[in-house]
Amino acid sequence: MTASNSDIEKAADVLRAGGLVALPTETVYGLGADAENPAAVGRIFQVKGRPSNHPLIVHIGSAELLDDWVAEVSDTARLLAERFWPGPLTLVLPRGPRVPLEATGGLETVAVRVPAHPVARALLTAFGGGVTAPSANRFGSVSPTTADHVRTELGDAVDHVLDGGSCDVGVESTIVDVTGDTPSILRPGGVTREELEAALGRPLAVPGASPIRVPGQHPSHYAPRARVVLVEPGEVVAEAERAQDQGLRVGVFLPAALSGTPVKAHAVVEVPASAAAHARGLYGFLRELDEQGCDLIIASLPQEEGLGVAIANRLGRAAGPRPAGDDRS
């Protein structure tokens, strides 16, 4: 933990005054506001440029506080909270009266989690309430995994930045709908499907299109300024060289199996063989290639198992169709 106690107390005061605090979690840095202050929550949407119907996640200090924020807690929800909290798991449950509709995008459900990062937990303890905290970046762009990422992207729009070092997990939390009889994964993330099913002793549903709106469902999301193109692992080198010969400044995510292979490109990032290391570095790699002035990023998807599912999800959305008027590239 790098933030001092006085820094954490200052951040808690900022939250009480209706301000915005960037805080580290084990997944990514969040842009936090008092979850019970509709005006403060509204500032999050304004700063991020986030549509007001996109719900936020409420971060709380412990699993024991869950009943204070939701209307009903199923046995499945309690089991998952006890097993995975604090940690990168978000549970979707019926909204309790403490949560304003501004924080849920107008829905009668609320997404809740207990972060594991010691700075985030210290802030929640000092503040004494819930904190809504989506990723601390402009809507649709690459999530931040260091305090410097936040400062570079949001600058003075954030009232206080807590520095907790680099995020350990590197991709957002897994979101699980536990409002009904059959729990379902709405967004893959830092807790894998295999881990969830082992804890529950039964399969989880993975709906093609969720009826519940949750963060990270936009077709274009987690996207750098450079355009991202996905190809098969064995085609990465040839596709990169073809684009480079066309006059583009090409960045390459070189698969671990091709480590050390010469590539004709503007910049190359070697993808770690470990899925955990790949996830931890993913957003930093995208930002690095942006900083090196790449026009195009050529990448391939990992095996979709374990954390590879979350990595593939993020890369797929980074390569998604961008809305009209998007000026990142």
Side-chain angles (χ1 to χ4, degrees), residues 66 197 250 287 292 294 311:
L66 183 58
E197 291 181 342
V250 179
R287 286 176 178 271
Q292 294 196 44
C294 295
I311 297 167

Side-chain angles (χ1 to χ4, degrees), residues 6 24 55 68 84 87 91 105 108 111 120 130 141 151 173 203-204 247-248 250 254 257 276 284 286 296 310 322:
S6 61
D68 295 343
F84 294 104
L91 300 177
E108 288 298 335
S141 67
R151 296 185 185 104
S173 62
L204 281 91
L248 295 172
V250 179
L254 190 66
L286 291 171
L296 181 71
R322 301 194 179 182

Side-chain angles (χ1 to χ4, degrees), residues 169-180:
V169 177
V171 292
E172 291 80 0
S173 62
T174 303
I175 301 179
V176 177
D177 174 16
V178 283
T179 58

Side-chain angles (χ1 to χ4, degrees), residues 17-18 54 65 98 102 127 160 256 292:
H54 281 236
L65 298 173
R98 289 182 70 174
E102 287 84 354
F127 176 56
H160 192 73
Q292 294 196 44

Side-chain angles (χ1 to χ4, degrees), residues 204-215:
L204 281 91
V206 183
S210 169
I212 298 178
R213 294 193 307 273
V214 295

